[in-house]
Amino acid sequence: MKALRYYGARDVRYEAMDDPAPQSTRDAVVKVEACSICGSDLHIYHGHGFSEDLGFCVGHEAVGEVVEVGSGVNQLKVGDKVMIPAAVGCGSCRACLAGVVNLCEYGMGSCYGLSAKLQGSQAEAVRVPAADANAVKVPEGVSMEQALMMTDALATAWYGARNADIKPGSSVAVVGLGPIGLMAVDSAFVMGAHVVYAIDPIPERRALAEAAGAIALHPDEAMERIKQDTKGRKLDCAVEVVGADATVDFALRLVRPRGTVSVIGVQQSRRFAFPLERAFAAGLTFRTGTCSVPEELPALFPLVQSGRLKPEKYVSHRLPLSQGAEAYRLFEAREAGALGWMVKPFTQDKLLAVIRKVLG
Ligand code: ZN
Ligand code: ZN
């Protein structure tokens, strides 16, 4: 098969690779119909990978069709359309059974496309370990493209909004408007927020947030405007989607006493000085962590089926998988209108890539 393989900083190649094969009776092989490049892939692309391996296949967001199942796979059969969430677990420990595969108690929690140990899904096919637990049938009324957006981005956005304690009538800030930030804006409205302040320095991103119904603000004007609108009370909830010290601190300053701050941006420094005294005095709630996709799906499937959430609106381009290397280059350059990417093989001979409108 052909796959996108990582050979070092800014060196991703579209190359032949051995076809994936089951390594245990619980494994399945999925022919990839669509896969995407997200912000974490860009991290690897920049050479800040999670292993020293070279030549492994990258990517952790994909949907496709089951083409092979081991004798120990009970829930899936050849021909099933499935989504492959980014993280995998053993599927049988307490954490995995609760859907929290990223915290697998047997230490089998892993993610595709970080090393040669678990090959990625920016490829024509991918091995899915413990497939009953780690592949999810795409339900009726959810398109493959929507399912693709739910393998990581939408699930993370929803988790981030959920962690911010958004309730009917809440006032919310979303700091950082990549695709996940924009989906967090959508999620906040679905959860009942009466107002969402969407904050980002990039005008094109603010325009997308405005189209979603948010009040879009440049960071320089946000604090003043929010204080003015709320008569100094500030907001109930903040979702931080950047992970930088300055934006986390900013989110902590945007909420009222007893407010909640949820950080889903991957931390960019290891020495963030948490303002404990201020948080203590104000009785703030602070949550962070990575999402486990299966845990979020029971809420997300009906919301997508009913059209309340439309993650596919953040898809703007499609390219062949064979242009994957170029896709990474363009994604990095964040050329106009192409702030995020997906690689989307539709059929065996016509492999397409999709660019999300915004960057993760
Ligand atoms: Zn991702
Ligand atoms: Zn487990």
Side-chain angles (χ1 to χ4, degrees):
M1 68 164 184
K2 289 288 183 60
L4 300 186
R5 304 177 71 175
Y6 172 81
Y7 286 97
R10 292 180 175 79
D11 188 4
V12 167
R13 302 176 202 166
Y14 175 71
E15 278 188 352
M17 195 166 182
D18 288 344
D19 287 340
Q23 290 179 8
S24 101
T25 54
R26 298 175 66 208
D27 292 1
V29 174
V30 171
K31 187 182 88 182
V32 175
E33 289 187 18
C35 52
S36 41
I37 304 175
C38 95
S40 320
D41 295 318
L42 206 57
H43 206 66
I44 297 168
Y45 185 67
H46 286 156
H48 313 300
F50 300 86
S51 76
E52 300 296 310
D53 297 353
L54 295 178
F56 66 91
C57 175
V58 281
H60 58 266
E61 302 176 2
V63 291
E65 185 181 316
V66 176
V67 290
E68 190 176 349
V69 289
S71 58
V73 176
N74 302 311
Q75 314 290 331
L76 299 170
K77 59 181 188 314
V78 169
D80 282 345
K81 299 283 187 184
V82 291
M83 52 188 286
I84 309 165
V88 302
C90 74
S92 47
C93 74
R94 228 158 87 159
C96 284
L97 288 172
V100 193
V101 295
N102 54 332
L103 300 179
C104 174
E105 289 171 1
Y106 295 142
M108 281 179 67
S110 184
C111 177
Y112 297 94
L114 305 183
S115 71
K117 205 177 111 200
L118 185 59
Q119 299 288 350
S121 52
Q122 285 163 11
E124 290 176 319
V126 61
R127 176 182 73 91
V128 179
D132 279 336
N134 295 315
V136 179
K137 278 187 217 171
V138 178
E140 251 177 67
V142 173
S143 71
M144 291 302 267
E145 198 159 283
Q146 289 171 325
L148 179 58
M149 304 300 277
M150 294 160 90
T151 57
D152 191 2
L154 179 60
T156 298
W158 182 260
Y159 166 81
R162 210 161 57 74
N163 269 354
D165 292 336
I166 299 168
K167 297 179 177 67
S170 290
S171 55
V172 179
V174 175
V175 181
L177 301 175
I180 294 176
L182 288 163
M183 288 183 212
V185 170
D186 292 335
S187 300
F189 279 123
V190 167
M191 290 173 182
H194 88 277
V195 63
V196 178
Y197 294 90
I199 303 163
D200 197 287
I202 300 173
E204 291 80 8
R205 293 174 167 196
R206 292 204 300 274
L208 289 166
E210 227 156 56
I215 297 173
L217 300 172
H218 190 281
D220 292 345
E221 60 175 341
M223 183 63 83
E224 265 322 295
R225 169 69 190 270
I226 287 167
K227 277 186 181 167
Q228 200 183 335
D229 285 2
T230 60
K231 300 186 170 57
R233 280 195 295 269
K234 303 199 275 190
L235 305 173
D236 301 321
C237 323
V239 185
E240 197 276 354
V241 201
V242 183
D245 289 4
T247 45
V248 174
D249 190 65
F250 188 57
L252 281 159
R253 290 174 190 279
L254 286 173
V255 295
R256 62 165 169 79
R258 295 290 176 95
T260 304
V261 174
S262 161
V263 171
I264 45 173
V266 179
Q267 75 274 7
Q268 295 173 14
S269 85
R270 292 171 197 280
R271 294 183 175 275
F272 176 61
F274 189 84
L276 184 60
E277 197 177 353
R278 182 155 46 88
F280 182 87
L284 300 185
T285 298
F286 182 87
R287 292 200 186 90
T288 188
T290 54
C291 125
S292 177
V293 174
E295 197 182 15
E296 309 303 324
L297 293 177
L300 290 176
F301 279 148
L303 289 166
V304 169
Q305 283 165 323
S306 63
R308 295 287 306 281
L309 285 171
K310 295 186 166 77
E312 71 281 11
K313 69 183 178 180
Y314 299 115
V315 174
S316 66
H317 296 68
R318 292 164 179 81
L319 287 173
L321 182 67
S322 58
Q323 289 177 28
E326 180 63 10
Y328 269 92
R329 274 192 291 278
L330 290 169
F331 182 37
E332 184 188 30
R334 300 181 191 189
E335 66 162 22
L339 300 169
W341 284 75
M342 292 198 287
V343 184
K344 180 160 186 170
F346 270 123
T347 67
Q348 264 175 322
D349 57 355
K350 192 183 172 199
L351 304 174
L352 298 173
V354 180
I355 307 170
R356 277 185 228 145
K357 281 180 188 158
V358 280
L359 179 67

